[in-house]
Every structure is written in C-alpha cells, then in structure tokens.
Amino acid sequence: MLLIPPPALQAPLLTPPPAERPQAPLSLDLPGALSRARSENAMLRAAKARIDERRGLITSTRADALPQLTLVGDFTRMRDVSMLNSSFADLAPAIGLPVSSLVSTRSLYTTQANLTQPLFYWGKLGTAVDIAMMGEQEAAFGYTTSELDVLHGVAKAFLGVLAAQAEQEVIESRRKTAEQFVSDVKARLEAQTATELDRLRAESEFLAVVPEALQAEAQVKRALEVLNGQLGLDPKTPLALAGLGLPEATAKPAGAERSELAQLKQQEAMYRANDKIIKSDLRPKFDLSASYGYQAGKSDNLFKDPYDTWKVSLTMKFPVFDGLRSSGKRAQNNAQLEQVKQMRVDRERSVAIEQSTADRELEKAIALNEAARRAHDAALEALRMSRESFDQGLITSLDLLQAERAERQAESQRRRAELGLWSARFDQRRSLGLPPL
C-alpha cells in the first residue's frame, strides 16, 4: 500500500539559487585609470582631509586674536555670614540685637555680558596665524607628494596587468600551438610519416605548457586585484584595459620643484616662526576685559536702574621666571629645525641620484626595446623557415618545437621590453616631480 503524506508534511522542493550574472568588465585606459584614482583613492582622500584640517586650524588660531563675547545668566541662593565676622557683630548685643539677626539667606540674580580682547602679545598671535597658513601650504605639498605616489603606483599597476596579460597571451598561444602540433603529429603518425618519438615529444611539450598557463592566469588575477585596490574598486571587479603601444620619442621634460623638498622647506619656515612665539612668551602681555549687566536680589528688578553693574580692566602680565620652560622649548625647537634641515639635504642628494639613475635606465630601456624588436623579427623569420623545412622533411619535430619556443620567448621579451620602456618613462617623470602623463 502506497502512503502519500499530506502536503503540510511534504518536504519543500529545493530549487537551486539563481546563478549570478557575470559582471561586465570596466573599460579603462591609462588616463581614465589615473583620473579615477584622483577621485577614489583612499590615500588621496586622507591627504585632502589633512588640508581641510589645516584650514580649520587657521580659523581657530585667528580666533585667539579676535574679541571674545560671552553672555552669562546666573542664579545664586546663599546664606551670608559675613556680618558675624565683622566688628559690628561684637556691638550687636550691646544695642539689643540678637546675633542671629545678622545672618540671612539671600537670592541673587545676575545677567552679564563679558568681553575680552588681547591687545599686545609681541607678535605671538599674528605669528601663530602665519604658522597655521604655512601648515596649510605644507599639507598641500604633502598632498602633491601623495598624489604623485598614487598616480605612479596606478601607472605601474596598470603596466603590471598588461605585462601579466601579455605573458598569459604568449603562453596561451604556446599551448594552442602545442595542442595543434599534437594533432598534426598524430595525423602524420597514422599516415606513417612521423614516428612514435615525435608523438611523445609533442605531448611532452603540450603538458609542459599547462602549469605555465595556470601560473600566468594567477598572475593576471593578482595584478588586477592590485590595480583595483589602487583605484578604490572591489578586488574582484573585472577590468578591460586598453593597450599603450609604443611611447612617442620626446625630449626630456622640464622638471618641477619636488614637492617633498618644498614640504621640508615649509617645515623649516614653520620652526623658525615658532621660535618667535617661544620668545614672546617671555615678554609682557596686555589684555582688555570689560563686563556689563544687572545684578539684583529679585528677578523683577533685573534690567532696571540702579541695578546695572559694569567693569573695565586693563591687565599686564610680565613673566619673571617660568622654571626654564621657555629655554627648554627653544632648545627642542632648534633641534627639530636642525633635523628637518638635514632631512632636506639628504633628500636633495637622493633626488639628484634618482634623476640621474632614471635617465640611465631610460636609455637602457630604449636600447633593450630596439634589441627585443629585432630579435623577435629574427625569430619570426626563423620559425617560418623551420616550418617550410619541416614540411619538406628536412628537420625533425623537435627542431620545429624549439623554433616555436624561441619565437614565443622572443615575443614575450618584446612585450616586456615595450612595457619596460613605459616604466622607465614613468620613473623619469616621477624623478622630475611630474605625473605619469
């Protein structure tokens, strides 16, 4: 007897989840990649936020030199015993007044406007504003340095993807050629125009290419992940990159002042200005303070005569001895200034070495590119002649396989040399303080 459970007890049918649609690749050329990095790279956003921070510091520093106006509203209830401590408290019993009558509980209402204004600080406030503005410029130089580093990093990552893809294409072409060669040798073997050794050699060549193809595929994925990270994209985002071709032969561009050096020079100026602030702390300072308002024991009397009260005061502060604190600050400031000076000198030497090295590497890359092109042309011609000789039975399959391998290696070297020429151009422009394009 067949028992069918009711629908409520039947297990629901498991339907496979819908397959995700493959994401369309994002098409990018090098200028587009650089433009996207300018707007999406996290490091550049952080550097730009640092400039905004310095601008806010300018506003807050400038506020120290402006008048400060404060409105105060206060209610106080207290028990006043001040009369008990006066000489009148000793006379009170003699005139028939109990001592307890001298103690009272009072309420006090106060509304007041207070104004403070620094008058003269020996240039401390103005110098502090100047340092804050220098800090904004220093942050701008830092942003330029970060921008150049990020853009050249994107350019190198772009070249890395193209190099990995070119190597993958060469290996894939080798794999297809080896696969076709295996088929040809098997056909020749059936026609008794090839030997079993030819078949084994062809299959060995094909099997040797398979792990290289897998490694090349992994290198392409890794290079794409690095580039996506530089562009602020998800690491798995597929990209379709446009080729670069050969760079145009142009004269060496005129360089700009390196932002790293300009940043260090700006820091030197900030430390020199800070020494003036430390000196001003040892000199007299003048402040003006004023207040106006009302004070009454009943709230109904507020804002009425004669309960108004005011006060104006001019204060001079003359530091006499601060425990050598200012002397220690000046010594610390001078030591930091000397550190920045030496860092600038060292960086100038490094920049000079970097520029001369980039020029030499560019010359070498041009020569390597020309040699790789000539070698590839020769390998193509040798492969053509080897195929004709193999068809005529003048060479063995091993000789043809070696010619195929030599041509693919020459093609790979040609592409690497072409991309190496771009890389040398980028290095030269970075040494001159210029973006990749």
Side-chain angles (χ1 to χ4, degrees):
M1 181 178 180
L2 182 61
L3 298 178
I4 301 178
L9 299 180
Q10 293 181 4
L13 296 178
L14 297 178
T15 58
E20 295 183 1
R21 295 182 179 180
Q23 184 179 358
L26 177 62
S27 300
L28 279 178
D29 55 2
L30 182 55
L34 297 179
S35 177
R36 183 178 182 88
R38 282 191 176 97
S39 59
E40 300 295 335
N41 187 270
M43 297 303 297
L44 288 185
R45 289 183 174 181
K48 189 175 296 184
R50 187 165 177 258
I51 297 178
D52 296 336
E53 176 192 359
R54 294 298 179 89
R55 288 173 181 165
L57 181 60
I58 294 175
T59 303
S60 62
T61 304
R62 186 179 286 120
D64 293 337
L66 299 178
Q68 306 294 315
L69 179 62
T70 306
L71 298 180
V72 178
D74 178 72
F75 168 73
T76 302
R77 185 167 178 81
M78 61 182 177
R79 186 171 184 266
D80 189 6
V81 297
S82 59
M83 291 294 293
L84 296 179
N85 299 316
S86 65
S87 58
F88 182 75
D90 298 332
L91 299 176
I95 61 176
L97 291 177
V99 177
S100 59
S101 64
L102 301 180
V103 180
S104 63
T105 301
R106 295 189 300 162
S107 297
L108 196 62
Y109 297 87
T110 304
T111 58
Q112 198 171 50
N114 298 325
L115 176 69
T116 59
Q117 171 65 59
L119 293 181
F120 186 67
Y121 274 61
W122 294 90
K124 176 179 180 179
L125 300 178
T127 305
V129 174
D130 293 340
I131 291 178
M133 297 178 69
M134 294 178 191
E136 180 190 10
Q137 189 64 34
E138 188 264 345
F141 288 135
Y143 175 80
T144 302
T145 302
S146 298
E147 183 182 34
L148 289 176
D149 290 340
V150 167
L151 293 182
H152 281 275
V154 169
K156 289 298 184 69
F158 194 95
L159 292 180
V161 174
L162 292 181
Q165 289 178 342
E167 186 69 18
Q168 185 185 30
E169 290 174 4
V170 170
I171 294 177
E172 183 64 21
S173 178
R174 279 182 56 197
R175 189 190 66 80
K176 291 181 179 179
T177 301
E179 186 177 6
Q180 181 63 38
F181 190 70
V182 170
S183 300
D184 294 343
V185 170
K186 288 181 178 180
R188 289 173 180 269
L189 186 61
E190 292 178 358
Q192 297 182 354
T193 57
T195 64
E196 186 67 19
L197 179 61
D198 294 331
R199 183 185 67 80
L200 293 175
R201 286 173 176 171
E203 290 179 350
S204 175
E205 175 68 16
F206 172 73
L207 294 176
V209 177
V210 173
E212 294 183 13
L214 295 176
Q215 182 179 3
E217 183 181 0
Q219 290 177 347
V220 170
K221 291 181 178 179
R222 172 60 181 166
L224 285 172
E225 290 174 354
V226 172
L227 180 58
N228 281 328
Q230 295 276 6
L231 298 178
L233 296 171
D234 184 87
K236 302 300 181 182
T237 302
L239 298 177
L241 304 184
L244 294 177
L246 278 174
E248 298 180 0
T250 57
K252 181 179 178 179
E257 183 183 17
R258 290 287 291 264
S259 56
E260 301 96 319
L261 299 178
Q263 186 177 8
L264 291 173
K265 291 178 181 178
Q266 196 72 11
Q267 290 178 7
E268 290 182 40
M270 293 170 66
Y271 281 118
R272 292 191 182 97
N274 190 50
D275 187 67
K276 297 179 181 179
I277 293 180
I278 298 174
K279 289 179 180 179
S280 68
D281 289 337
L282 298 174
R283 296 174 179 173
K285 302 174 182 61
F286 296 89
D287 292 296
L288 173 67
S289 60
S291 63
Y292 179 81
Y294 293 86
Q295 193 173 59
K298 296 181 180 180
S299 59
D300 295 340
N301 293 329
L302 287 175
F303 308 108
K304 294 180 181 179
D305 293 332
Y307 295 97
D308 57 323
T309 177
W310 58 269
K311 180 177 70 173
V312 177
S313 61
L314 181 63
T315 306
M316 183 188 74
K317 297 179 181 179
F318 199 148
V320 178
F321 181 70
D322 64 351
L324 300 179
R325 181 181 292 106
S326 297
S327 177
K329 287 183 178 180
R330 287 196 65 191
Q332 181 183 7
N333 186 78
N334 292 334
Q336 292 173 341
L337 174 60
E338 185 63 24
Q339 291 177 26
V340 174
K341 283 183 179 179
Q342 297 306 319
M343 289 173 60
R344 177 179 56 82
V345 171
D346 181 70
R347 188 58 182 163
E348 286 175 348
R349 295 171 181 169
S350 299
V351 167
I353 296 174
E354 182 181 345
Q355 291 176 351
S356 60
T357 303
D359 293 340
R360 290 192 297 268
E361 290 297 324
L362 180 58
E363 294 177 1
K364 184 173 72 173
I366 293 174
L368 288 175
N369 180 64
E370 182 64 24
R373 289 178 59 250
R374 297 294 179 86
H376 180 249
D377 294 340
L380 280 176
E381 181 63 19
L383 178 61
R384 184 189 65 81
M385 295 177 63
S386 296
R387 286 173 176 169
E388 292 180 355
S389 300
F390 181 75
D391 292 338
Q392 297 173 6
L394 300 178
I395 61 175
T396 65
S397 60
L398 180 61
D399 297 327
L400 181 59
L401 284 175
Q402 290 177 346
E404 291 275 0
R405 187 182 297 111
E407 189 276 332
R408 295 307 172 191
Q409 290 177 349
E411 169 68 11
S412 177
Q413 293 175 357
R414 183 190 68 82
R415 292 193 176 188
R416 282 199 297 265
E418 183 178 301
L419 295 176
L421 181 57
W422 277 104
S423 179
R425 285 286 177 87
F426 293 156
D427 289 339
Q428 184 190 51
R429 292 182 64 85
R430 180 65 184 94
S431 68
L432 297 174
L434 301 174
L437 296 179

